[in-house]
Amino acid sequence: MNTYRSLNSIKNAIKAGETTCLNLVEFYIQNIENNKTLNAFAEVFTEEAIKNAKEIDAKIANGNAGKLAGMVIGIKDNICYKNHKSAAASKILEGFESLYSATVVERLLDEDAIIIGRLNCDEFAMGSANENTIYGATKNPLDNTKVTGGSSGGAASAVAANLCLATLGSDTGGSIRQPASFCGTIGFKPTYSRVSRFGLIAFASSFDQIGPITNTVEDAAIILEIIAGEDDFDSTVSTKKTDKYTYLLEDKSTKRIAYFPEFFENEGLDGEIKSTIESQIQTLKNNGHIVERVSFPYLNYLVPTYYVISTAEASSNLARFDGVHYGFRSSNANSPESTYTKTRTEGFGKEVQRRIMLGTFVLSAGYHDAYYTKAQKMRRLIQDKTNKILKDYDFILSPTTPHTAFNLGLEHKDPIVMYLEDIFTVLANLSGNPAISLPLARHSNGMPFGTQLMAKPFHEADLLAFSHNLINSL
Amino acid sequence: MKITDKLIKEISALAKLEFDEKSAELMKADLEKIIGFVDKLSEIDTEGVEPLIYLNEEVNILREDKIKAVITQLDALKNAPQKDSDYFKVPTVLKK
């Protein structure tokens, strides 16, 4: 039985001769098979993972293995891996095999991580339940009648169920942190532009960010250290130096933390989550940190701003799916025009179509200024306010999600109900700041929930160190 | 805002999507709800605020113009739903 929950414990076990990469991969493959009902994986790279495990075991024996030797990792189905399928859980990309690897994948492989498979998610990362997918919904490992959250639901489910050590997800409005909260794992979204997006199938380019889902903060730090930083293939990635995130975890200085009363007074927030976070605030104060109420006037404008800009960007990004160059083409296509229209109508799911329509609307002549430009101005106000608060404080503390994982198969009549799932997470994407969800407690209904910390742009080292100490004190 | 059938037609033509009568009705109802929801933004005075367009602080990150990754013609055609040895194939454009 493999109970290793961190890369360090695995490395120690390998050193002590208790396990090998091959043992680990065989264990995970068996565990994936045993937990097939979770539907976490879209595909398992069985033979290849076994082959790589043997090679890395040999490297370890020779003393020339990379920093991630021993880490078995899964990648979300929207992260490209050369000569492997990648479909973003969409029919329109059925059969597509990537011609190149995402920068994050290259960097993981260079350090001898073993990629065990690709993970179920919402179609083009659009969703908060991991139910909008050609593979069928993923299930929450803690209760199979509940959703995992989304869109990186497979990624959170796989870590929670020990189907691999860690996963890479993507976070556009909360897609790493919300499922992490629902499944009781750590979910970390770095600062916008900290990690290259080259090879990430685009949803909303000014929001999308790749990040890890892990059991420990240490593993999140190790992964960030490897994947972050400059990249010749992404001109939007920051050239700022990356930190040695793993070495900085021991910082135990006292911090200044803000929390927004508007978030806690939100009528959608579950009472038990509210009171647990309030008592966490008290504990932080008792431990010498300064925790203060700070008013944030824009709570009810966050999700509207996000939906205008992100759907505009999505409608433009998804224009490339034309039925000509790759993926699915409708068999009803009999002209160039119908190649586009029939393919897109048959190939995109309902939620994706809804967002393309909204995005096309807000960008169309006559509505552009009233919606798109208006939302961009709003985004400026939100970012300015956030960073003004973070001038006086190190972190902003909030719940990650308003409630715990809900039941599978709820057919919401109103799409806005689902959009409001992102109410606490979307701020970090609008402003670009780094944010992490840490498992906080179990609700009396049995399901876990997380607490969210947000930091100044590029202050991942502070955020991870504080999170590391916080988790160890829980 | 009232979403009309005409507007749904115009937007779907731009988006290269088509809806039958029933799904057009559903899309109309959804869009009306969502646009009503995002209309909340009009409550905030944004007069004189510069729109936030780029989230990255750096502009014009340049590198040497050297070829680094190459996709061959064969690679490029690999995922095409229909192709011949040199080209992507599409249904006939000009009818006889």
Side-chain angles (χ1 to χ4, degrees), chain A residues 21 76 86 122 224 287 313 337 366 368 456:
Chain A
C21 291
K76 187 174 177 178
S86 211
D122 281 299
L224 183 67
N287 293 341
E313 293 182 7
E337 179 70 19
H368 182 281
K456 299 175 176 75

Side-chain angles (χ1 to χ4, degrees), chain A residues 160-412:
Chain A
N162 203 19
L163 310 184
C164 52
L165 182 67
T167 56
L168 284 187
S170 66
D171 192 314
T172 306
S175 278
I176 287 174
R177 291 160 287 152
Q178 187 251 17
S181 175
F182 278 10
C183 295
T185 65
I186 293 167
F188 176 43
K189 181 198 90 76
T191 309
Y192 177 79
S193 80
R194 179 70 295 178
V195 176
S196 168
R197 291 181 291 113
F198 180 71
L200 173 69
I201 298 172
F203 160 11
S205 304
S206 76
F207 297 84
D208 295 343
Q209 192 58 200
I210 296 172
I213 295 180
T214 54
N215 299 300
T216 64
V217 175
E218 239 179 317
D219 282 357
I222 297 166
I223 292 171
L224 183 67
E225 216 167 277
I226 304 296
I227 64 175
E230 261 186 274
D231 178 18
D232 279 352
F233 296 109
D234 179 359
S235 66
T236 66
V237 81
S238 175
T239 58
K240 270 199 181 71
K241 236 173 74 56
T242 59
D243 291 315
K244 285 272 167 228
Y245 305 105
T246 42
Y247 293 155
L248 299 168
L249 289 177
E250 295 314 317
D251 171 29
K252 290 199 170 69
S253 56
T254 55
K255 297 292 180 193
R256 294 177 58 82
I257 300 160
Y259 68 94
F260 302 153
E262 292 84 358
F263 280 33
F264 288 79
E265 284 150 21
N266 180 259
E267 54 178 34
L269 178 60
D270 175 276
E272 220 174 298
I273 296 183
K274 181 180 174 199
S275 60
T276 312
I277 298 199
E278 282 168 348
S279 63
Q280 184 188 29
I281 288 173
Q282 198 48 53
T283 312
L284 286 167
K285 285 182 183 168
N286 297 344
N287 293 341
H289 300 290
I290 294 155
V291 192
E292 290 174 344
R293 276 166 69 98
V294 180
S295 178
F296 184 82
Y298 300 132
L299 175 65
N300 292 321
Y301 304 92
L302 298 176
V303 180
T305 305
Y306 171 71
Y307 271 87
V308 171
I309 305 174
S310 68
T311 57
E313 293 182 7
S315 74
S316 167
N317 274 325
L318 271 54
R320 72 187 55 151
F321 298 101
D322 57 6
V324 175
H325 299 95
Y326 40 78
F328 165 78
R329 177 187 295 175
S330 166
S331 54
N332 297 314
N334 55 18
S335 67
E337 179 70 19
S338 70
T339 302
Y340 306 143
T341 305
K342 299 279 183 202
T343 298
R344 292 165 61 81
T345 301
E346 293 167 29
F348 289 132
K350 202 193 282 174
E351 180 58 31
V352 174
Q353 294 197 17
R354 211 182 265 139
R355 295 200 199 189
I356 292 174
M357 287 290 285
L358 180 64
T360 306
F361 167 77
V362 301
L363 288 175
S364 62
Y367 301 103
H368 182 281
D369 288 353
Y371 289 95
Y372 185 57
T373 308
K374 175 81 188 179
Q376 288 182 318
K377 289 180 173 185
M378 200 58 222
R379 192 177 191 184
R380 168 86 60 192
L381 293 177
I382 291 165
Q383 188 190 51
D384 283 353
K385 182 75 190 165
T386 306
N387 286 330
K388 194 165 167 251
I389 293 167
L390 285 168
K391 275 215 163 72
D392 295 329
Y393 296 90
D394 298 296
F395 308 117
I396 296 165
L397 176 79
S398 76
T400 308
T401 51
H403 43 241
T404 56
F406 45 88
N407 288 336
L408 280 157
L410 293 179
E411 293 247 345
H412 294 295

